[in-house]
Amino acid sequence: MAGLTDPRVVALERYAIRMRENGVTRAAWRLEVESAEGPGAIVLVDAEGGQTHYRGEGVFLGWPRERLEATYRDLRPVDASPKFELNQLG
């Protein structure tokens, strides 16, 4: 991972966020990370029209959107549980 040494995810939380542009409450994901460089978080905001916004905190502060997006995708936990399937009976 470019710019981070030994990054590890501490938490991935869903929460409500308000943006300055409007008075609407939106949903966001906050990916909290620890690394040798220090703590930080990447916030992914689900905006209107299918748009997404990324915001960096801590060690991610000042990173460009493309870098935040790539890092978020690389660090996001993957659900390894088996997919739910309905068996057809009869």
Side-chain angles (χ1 to χ4, degrees):
M1 178 103 15
L4 292 178
T5 308
D6 298 324
R8 60 197 171 286
V9 174
V10 176
L12 178 62
E13 300 174 313
R14 187 89 164 153
Y15 68 102
I17 189 170
R18 296 195 54 117
M19 299 175 72
R20 283 185 220 138
E21 293 83 31
N22 52 36
V24 178
T25 300
R26 302 237 179 253
W29 286 100
R30 186 172 189 272
L31 182 70
E32 191 175 339
V33 177
E34 288 283 340
S35 70
E37 291 76 21
I42 299 174
V43 177
L44 168 62
V45 180
D46 300 327
E48 54 197 43
Q51 293 181 332
T52 56
H53 302 285
Y54 291 87
R55 185 183 78 194
E57 301 174 359
V59 295
F60 300 109
L61 192 61
W63 283 26
R65 182 198 193 296
E66 295 79 18
R67 191 171 173 196
L68 287 171
E69 183 177 3
T71 303
Y72 183 90
R73 284 188 192 163
D74 289 345
L75 292 176
R76 181 184 56 202
V78 178
D79 183 11
S81 63
K83 302 290 184 226
F84 178 74
E85 293 183 26
L86 291 174
N87 294 327
Q88 186 171 351
L89 303 174

